[in-house]
Amino acid sequence: MDIEQKNVSEEATAEVYTFARPVTFEGNTVESLNIDFDKLTGADILVCDRQYQAETARQGGSELVKETNKAYQAYIVAKAAGVHVGLIRALSAKDFTKLTLRAQSFLLL
């Protein structure tokens, strides 16, 4: 497979998700994200896991099945989209729920 074919196939796995309502994050208005769960590696999942564990340790909580936890799923969505988790948290409830459900599906299937 040459480089052009590889780029086309990588782009084909990304999904453009358009928000029901644009969100402003760090002074920028964002209307959509390119989300590619298939590009994630084991290292990416471990990074998300460490970030989530650090957050829950600060809050004094823990989760038995983190794959069903919205906070953990937000890290996965952010990593798949290449954005800061704060952007995902700033989404409308409708968009946040849709995207975290997609992350849960990805994690559990």
Side-chain angles (χ1 to χ4, degrees), residues 51-63 69 71 75 89:
Q51 291 172 324
Y52 172 72
Q53 285 181 12
E55 178 181 310
T56 57
R58 285 190 304 270
Q59 296 172 354
S62 65
E63 189 74 31
N69 182 283
Y75 281 105
R89 291 180 176 159

Side-chain angles (χ1 to χ4, degrees), residues 46-86:
L46 292 174
V47 166
C48 291
D49 186 56
R50 281 192 299 274
Q51 291 172 324
Y52 172 72
Q53 285 181 12
E55 178 181 310
T56 57
R58 285 190 304 270
Q59 296 172 354
S62 65
E63 189 74 31
L64 292 177
V65 183
K66 66 182 169 290
E67 290 80 5
T68 61
N69 182 283
K70 294 277 187 208
Y72 179 67
Q73 294 163 3
Y75 281 105
I76 299 295
V77 172
K79 184 61 85 172
V83 298
H84 189 276
V85 71

